Amino acid sequence: MSPAATAHAFVPASRRARSRNRPAGGGASGPHGRLLGALRHAGPALTAYLAVRLCGLLVLARLAHAQGHGVWPTLAASWDSNWYLEIAADGYADALGTRVNDNNLAFFPLYPLLVRALSAIAPGSPASVGLLLSVGCSFAAAWGVFAVGDRLYGRRAGTLLTVVWATLPVAAVQWMGYTESLFTALSAWALYAVLAGGWGWAGALACLAGLARPTGIAVAAAVTCAALLSCRRTPRGRRAPAVVGAVTAPLGWLAYVAWVGLRVGRWDGYFAVQRLWKNEWDGGRATLLELRQQLLYAGRTPLFLLLVSAVLIVSAVLFLLCLADRQPLPLLVFTGVLLLVVLGSAGVYFPRARFLLPGFPLLLPAARALAAARSPAAVGVVLAAATLLSAWAGAHMLLVWHGPP
């Protein structure tokens, strides 16, 4: 069995049949023709994604203007965006130090490196370049989300999956100078490469994801587990691509962790930096205590924190639905490890809904349910309501909540 055929084993037979029967871009041939055909195939999903995010941007702009705030500084140069811009301009700290929440080695390097490289050739300030980079990556991410959904359940489900991802409560971050869009793009296309049997691409993209965010370890785990499983099902002489993918996938994350250790002069340097940010893995104890405090004892919990708690609870429930649906193993490993890292952390609570933004496979049950609905009008009403709620939640997060998203 070839690696591609082995990867196909992750996809149920009925879904593979739908994938074979879909048109591949109107008969276009050659790399450019296939790319244009794939882009046309994803066109409705990307158009819907643009419409949803423009709605959120317009609501944010109107409310920001009413409060006397500027939209550009809010999106391009606030909170974590400033940390990345500082790294792009001046590099990383060269010592561990003792100050809490003050060491930029906690931020992974791919996004600031891209901002620095693009700023050297593109007009505008580094903040503008970073914002445009995030917006561009958001469309690459939306395309990857569509591609995974389309491959598994068809074009309609893929389009709806993209729209649901665009309407998440914290989706405004997708068009901010943050790393979520870049990381989601790398994660989605790495998972798609696994499903398509492209182990080289899967390993390379997972490696880059490991340089983008700490949760890159979830992408590496998904690719490596799938590749090793492929090796068990593949004749010995044909295992090389899967082995390369399995070995390459975690290298980005491991390389940065090792580099931080060398830079601060201790083997656990990266984890020591995280402790300075009060971010340690405790198996979920801190998360459960926070949820108990909010739901049982707190008098007036800020609305944004309640929103974050709702996202965490719903995400855990959705993962159980994904298990019941018997999603392909790479998707389950990715979302499972992502949830373990995010829910199991004892660090700051309020950004955790944002940390789960790349976990788009969790939304597949919702996308499938919408795709199977018999009333297009009802689906339209649901998506319109979700779009407006997302726009309101994004504006609240950025204009009312007095902290990072």
Side-chain angles (χ1 to χ4, degrees):
M1 181 182 292
S2 68
T6 302
H8 259 53
F10 292 119
V11 183
S14 60
R15 303 173 197 167
R16 295 199 299 269
R18 283 198 295 272
S19 178
R20 287 193 299 269
N21 293 332
R22 283 196 304 272
S29 60
H32 297 294
R34 288 193 295 271
L35 178 62
L36 290 175
L39 183 58
R40 283 195 296 269
H41 188 64
L46 297 179
T47 302
Y49 174 79
L50 174 62
V52 171
R53 295 310 329 138
L54 281 178
C55 177
L57 181 62
L58 290 174
V59 170
L60 175 64
R62 185 173 182 83
L63 295 178
H65 178 74
Q67 295 186 9
H69 295 297
V71 174
W72 182 92
T74 301
L75 298 178
S78 64
W79 302 108
D80 286 10
S81 301
N82 288 325
W83 282 99
Y84 289 116
L85 293 173
E86 175 192 305
I87 294 168
D90 302 320
Y92 281 103
D94 56 7
L96 180 61
T98 57
R99 296 179 62 180
V100 175
N101 298 342
D102 193 55
N103 194 312
N104 64 10
L105 287 165
F107 297 87
F108 276 52
L110 183 59
Y111 179 78
L113 285 175
L114 290 174
V115 171
R116 182 167 186 164
L118 292 174
S119 296
I121 59 176
S125 66
S128 298
V129 170
L131 180 57
L132 290 176
L133 173 63
S134 293
V135 172
C137 287
S138 76
F139 284 95
W143 192 358
V145 170
F146 165 79
V148 171
D150 176 46
R151 184 173 187 88
L152 292 177
Y153 302 112
R155 191 184 192 187
R156 177 176 171 80
T159 300
L160 290 168
L161 177 65
T162 307
V163 175
V164 174
W165 181 70
T167 61
L168 289 175
V170 294
V173 174
Q174 295 167 5
W175 282 12
M176 293 181 67
Y178 276 57
T179 59
E180 272 68 27
S181 289
L182 171 63
F183 180 69
T184 305
L186 294 169
S187 301
W189 285 109
L191 293 172
Y192 178 82
V194 170
L195 296 176
W199 297 115
W201 280 108
L205 291 167
C207 179
L208 290 173
L211 291 170
R213 287 200 58 78
T215 44
I217 193 66
V219 191
V223 173
T224 298
C225 287
L228 293 178
L229 183 59
S230 171
C231 288
R232 292 183 58 186
R233 299 174 175 175
T234 306
R236 188 180 299 273
R238 300 180 180 179
R239 295 176 182 174
V243 171
V244 171
V247 172
T248 305
L251 290 183
W253 190 88
L254 292 173
Y256 183 67
V257 170
W259 181 81
V260 172
L262 291 173
R263 191 164 181 84
V264 302
R266 50 187 291 181
W267 70 270
D268 66 338
Y270 171 75
F271 303 100
V273 170
Q274 290 294 338
R275 285 192 291 273
L276 287 177
W277 284 83
K278 301 180 180 179
N279 191 18
E280 296 182 80
W281 197 83
D282 69 347
R285 181 176 180 274
T287 302
L288 292 174
L289 290 175
E290 179 68 28
L291 286 171
R292 186 182 69 171
Q293 176 67 23
Q294 288 185 24
L295 300 178
L296 298 178
Y297 301 113
R300 295 184 62 184
T301 302
L303 182 59
F304 180 69
L305 291 184
L306 292 176
L307 183 66
V308 171
S309 297
V311 169
L312 300 186
I313 294 170
V314 171
S315 296
V317 173
L318 286 174
F319 182 70
L320 296 178
L321 293 177
C322 292
L323 286 172
D325 194 37
R326 300 180 67 182
Q327 277 186 11
L329 178 65
L331 274 60
L332 291 174
V333 172
F334 170 63
T335 52
V337 175
L338 183 66
L339 285 168
L340 281 175
V341 173
V342 175
L343 299 183
S345 171
V348 288
Y349 186 79
F350 49 80
R352 298 192 192 190
R354 170 168 63 87
F355 295 163
L356 288 177
L357 192 61
F360 69 92
L362 294 171
L363 306 173
L364 277 167
R368 292 189 68 194
L370 290 170
R374 296 182 179 180
S375 173
V379 173
V381 169
V382 169
L383 294 180
T387 298
L388 293 176
L389 286 173
S390 175
W392 170 83
H396 179 86
M397 175 179 68
L398 297 176
L399 300 177
V400 178
W401 166 249
H402 299 295

